[in-house]
Amino acid sequence: MTDVLAVGSPDQKSREALAELGWTHVESLDAAQALDEETRKGVKAIAFFGHSPFAGAQMEAFPALGLIANFGVGYDAINVGDASARGIKVTNTPDVLNDDVADLAVAMLLDFCRDMRGAEAHVRSGDWGKKGPHPLQRKMSGQKAGILGMGRIGREIADRLAAFKMEMHYHARSEKETPGWTFHADPVALAREVDFLVIALVGGPATEGYVSKEVIEALGPTGVLINISRGTTVDEEALIEALQKGTIQGAGLDVFLNEPNPDPRFLSLENAVLQPHQASATHETRAAMGQLQRDNVAAFLAGKDLLTPVN
């Protein structure tokens, strides 16, 4: 399909689907802009895979562009305001990845509390037999948990942590209908109240640095921060300092400011569980995300309502 351009690095299943559909594929926005003028003039829809900035300057290279179909629920790389000003629709892939993202948030918290990595190393090294049991760790069930951002994914995380007999607290732009969970209008007040703080905010300028130094300090020396949102949502310098000094107990991080090369200071921290931005990275979920992206493109080309419009 010559009027659709795929941009970025799709997974293998998506690559196969793109090839079957006959979509042109390039690995970056720079490569897309470098296509010959005739090709660029024919592009009506872009299937976008990636996190590089996609703003008006890039959109101008495609005068017939009417849709940017994003692969992922987060679309902060796309300047939606610039797209709207040019009559370009934007879609994303919500809901299909909620379970996997929530699962990983809980897994990172379990990993931190029970030191799963260290305990496994204790067995593999032979130290269990040579040196005795692994040191005692921290109980996870029955603690106080706070969700910062009670959207679809935040709610899935909260439901899972509630099943661990946790007392649930949350912060959002407004109160939500919950099973009696405690709402906090101020993120600092939320952090001060809980043992575990899970960041489930959307990305973008509105949430940049939302988890400030004050929020991190309020979490306190026994607090644990889990981030499965975007690296931009957290004051990373303040977080590193808190982890180094022990002013919070630890963190579980699937996202960073400088991906895929996070600040090297994280790599030496024993009190941080680190993941490679892979919360949605299962075969099943990535297949569902790709299908929803392709369905949005098909709907657009057929003149039908988009399935998951952003603007």
Side-chain angles (χ1 to χ4, degrees):
M1 192 180 297
T2 56
D3 48 3
V4 181
L5 177 64
V7 177
S9 300
D11 59 272
Q12 185 57 38
K13 193 172 185 66
S14 289
R15 286 179 186 270
E16 292 169 0
L18 302 182
E20 186 175 331
L21 288 166
W23 293 0
T24 302
H25 173 228
V26 294
E27 292 289 340
S28 68
L29 277 171
D30 287 343
Q33 291 175 273
L35 292 169
D36 64 88
E37 184 178 4
E38 194 63 30
T39 298
R40 288 186 284 106
K41 281 183 176 180
V43 173
K44 297 178 182 177
I46 289 180
F48 188 55
F49 301 82
H51 303 287
S52 55
F54 196 167
Q58 291 78 32
M59 297 171 194
E60 290 292 339
F62 308 95
L65 183 62
L67 173 70
I68 301 171
N70 188 57
F71 183 85
V73 65
Y75 50 87
D76 43 298
I78 301 169
N79 190 316
V80 177
D82 285 355
S84 297
R86 290 162 175 78
I88 300 169
K89 301 297 290 185
V90 177
T91 60
N92 64 342
T93 60
D95 294 323
V96 294
L97 47 64
N98 295 356
D99 283 336
D100 275 345
V101 176
D103 288 350
L104 187 69
V106 176
M108 287 193 294
L109 185 54
L110 269 170
D111 189 335
F112 179 83
C113 288
R114 300 305 299 269
D115 188 25
M116 305 295 288
R117 298 159 300 144
E120 181 177 3
H122 192 68
V123 175
R124 290 183 181 278
S125 67
D127 283 349
W128 186 17
K130 297 173 185 176
K131 300 180 180 180
H134 191 61
L136 298 179
Q137 301 299 318
R138 179 175 179 175
K139 183 177 181 178
M140 183 173 127
S141 294
Q143 307 292 315
K144 291 182 180 181
I147 309 297
L148 192 53
M150 188 61 81
R152 297 180 182 96
I153 292 172
R155 180 58 191 251
E156 290 289 348
I157 297 168
D159 285 340
R160 283 159 172 74
L161 295 182
F164 282 86
K165 305 175 184 177
M166 292 194 189
E167 180 182 310
M168 298 305 304
H169 298 250
Y170 71 98
H171 168 75
R173 285 175 289 187
S174 60
E175 286 196 59
K176 309 295 182 182
E177 186 175 338
T178 68
W181 301 339
T182 302
F183 170 73
H184 297 264
D186 176 17
V188 174
L190 172 67
R192 189 178 294 118
E193 187 65 30
V194 301
D195 303 295
F196 309 136
L197 183 65
V198 184
I199 315 305
L201 296 164
V202 297
T207 59
E208 190 169 339
Y210 200 83
V211 183
S212 63
K213 182 176 183 179
E214 290 73 26
V215 173
I216 294 167
E217 288 175 346
L219 192 52
T222 60
V224 179
L225 183 147
I226 304 293
N227 190 9
I228 50 80
S229 60
R230 285 287 191 265
T232 55
T233 63
V234 176
D235 182 336
E236 200 167 88
E237 190 64 35
L239 176 59
I240 291 172
E241 182 180 353
L243 290 168
Q244 289 175 331
K245 294 182 177 179
T247 50
I248 64 172
Q249 187 177 19
L253 307 171
D254 186 45
V255 289
F256 305 87
L257 280 180
N258 189 34
E259 299 177 7
N261 299 297
D263 191 307
R265 290 175 292 176
F266 280 121
L267 309 183
S268 62
L269 292 170
E270 293 296 325
N271 57 346
V273 176
L274 309 178
Q275 295 291 296
H277 199 155
Q278 59 115 7
S280 68
T282 66
H283 293 292
E284 297 85 352
T285 289
R286 291 293 171 85
M289 290 166 63
Q291 188 62 60
L292 181 51
Q293 181 189 44
R294 294 189 295 275
D295 288 347
N296 272 307
V297 172
F300 171 76
L301 294 175
K304 297 179 180 179
D305 290 342
L306 299 171
L307 283 73
T308 52
V310 170
N311 61 346

